[in-house]
Amino acid sequence: VPGERAAAQAAPKNKRHIKSTYATSSPATDGRIVVAWFGSQGIHAYDVNGGLRWSVDIGRVDMGAYDIPSYEWGPASSPIIWNDLVIVQCDTQADSFLLALDAATGDTVWKTERQELPSWGTPTIVTTPAGPELVTNASNFVRAYDPKTGRELWQLGGSSKTTAPTPIFAEGLHIIASGRAPERPLFAVKPGVRGDLTLAKGDTAGSGVVWSKTGRGSYMPTPLAYRGLLYVLANNGVLDAYEAGTGKEIYRQRLPLVGSGFSASPVAADGKIYLSNEDGEVLVVEAGATFRHIATNSMGETLMATPAISGGVIFVRGASTLFAIGRK
């Protein structure tokens, strides 16, 4: 049944960042249910016809500046669905935790407390030879968990005090970035390791960390892995390309048409990388070891959300319009 559903109607329980909304988290679906998390307004699951399956109230959650608690920026981490579990990363000023809910009922399957500062990245689950690993980006530690139980597997310190990018997996490595100065790290971690992987001062590799860099992590955009290369986009429009497996720098390039900067993450398809700036320009860059700017497409309105690509169509979410672009 087409239409819309009201998940919550109330005065907002939090303030928010000027770049945020009260629905910044992306919904998740497994083709059977659609799950949306609206921060302090709860987690809501619908069937694909729009019927409400369940709602879970996790109380008021406060994500903001770690050093100025009165700043409330709102949540951005999105729920994920894995093996009939809905998993939410909720790192706040007061009580941080990972929560796994039964996708069919909304009942709590496990909950793991975290000693963490507020964070905004979405967790990522990777199937590895050593079993599935649920990787979370956060300030005190990047951590991996067993998604079946919530038990911590490894932790890695040395990140930024504000973390937003989502962990990704490329060339057999977990890639985790964070862009707040002064640390601004990039970490590449091999799966299957256990314990504390924190590097000694001055080290760029160690137990489980295959390579790392400081001063190169992205603040808002999540890195992109495509055809063996890792692309890291800074808010200020500097695009770095590395060999994903080794960390070797391939190029560093300032993009044209930076404008107000970049918040959306880069995406790729058909040998091309699409980079959306906040002013509504989608830059198209050729993938590969040589930087080449192919085209610029103006959407005519502010772009904050990352485009999605599926079935030969690119979906671009503007400030007021959802665009679907593809061949007929």
Side-chain angles (χ1 to χ4, degrees), residues 33-251:
I33 63 168
V34 178
V35 180
W37 179 28
F38 300 112
S40 300
Q41 271 65 44
I43 307 167
H44 308 270
Y46 297 84
D47 61 37
V48 292
N49 294 316
L52 180 65
R53 295 289 297 274
W54 49 263
S55 294
V56 172
D57 181 359
I58 58 172
R60 184 179 182 274
V61 294
D62 178 7
M63 291 85 166
Y66 76 97
D67 52 348
I68 309 177
S70 62
Y71 285 9
E72 296 178 18
W73 293 340
S77 181
S78 300
I80 59 174
I81 302 175
W82 178 81
N83 282 13
D84 298 320
L85 293 177
V86 173
I87 297 175
V88 169
Q89 178 180 343
C90 185
D91 291 336
T92 76
Q93 299 280 20
D95 55 339
S96 301
F97 57 88
L98 273 177
L99 180 64
L101 305 172
D102 185 310
T105 65
D107 295 337
T108 297
V109 177
W110 55 258
K111 182 179 181 181
T112 299
E113 303 292 337
R114 291 157 55 83
Q115 296 299 314
E116 264 311 335
L117 302 176
S119 76
W120 291 268
T122 296
T124 298
I125 296 180
V126 178
T127 301
T128 81
E133 295 187 4
L134 166 66
V135 183
T136 62
N137 195 7
S139 300
N140 292 337
F141 291 98
V142 178
R143 293 178 173 92
Y145 299 84
D146 179 348
K148 298 188 293 290
T149 64
R151 178 177 64 88
E152 185 179 299
L153 303 176
W154 55 260
Q155 64 178 29
L156 170 62
S159 196
S160 297
K161 292 293 188 184
T162 302
T163 54
T166 291
I168 64 172
F169 194 71
E171 302 300 307
L173 298 172
H174 300 293
I175 308 287
I176 308 100
S178 189
R180 184 184 185 274
E183 301 87 359
R184 298 188 57 215
L186 268 175
F187 295 116
V189 181
K190 62 185 177 186
V193 293
R194 298 292 182 263
D196 191 345
L197 313 182
T198 304
L199 297 171
K201 189 172 183 178
D203 288 353
T204 59
S207 173
V209 180
V210 175
W211 60 265
S212 70
K213 296 179 184 295
T214 55
R216 289 299 184 97
S218 49
Y219 190 81
M220 286 286 284
T222 292
L224 168 71
Y226 189 59
R227 296 183 176 178
L229 296 186
L230 177 71
Y231 301 90
V232 182
L233 173 63
N235 286 41
N236 65 2
V238 173
L239 179 66
D240 295 328
Y242 306 95
E243 285 183 356
T246 67
K248 177 187 174 184
E249 182 177 315
I250 303 300
Y251 67 71

Side-chain angles (χ1 to χ4, degrees), residues 250-280:
I250 303 300
Y251 67 71
R252 164 160 261 215
Q253 176 75 41
R254 183 173 294 279
L255 297 170
L257 297 169
V258 171
S260 301
F262 291 79
S263 287
S265 303
V267 295
D270 194 29
K272 302 175 186 69
I273 301 170
Y274 297 86
L275 308 122
S276 308
N277 73 20
E278 293 179 4
D279 295 343

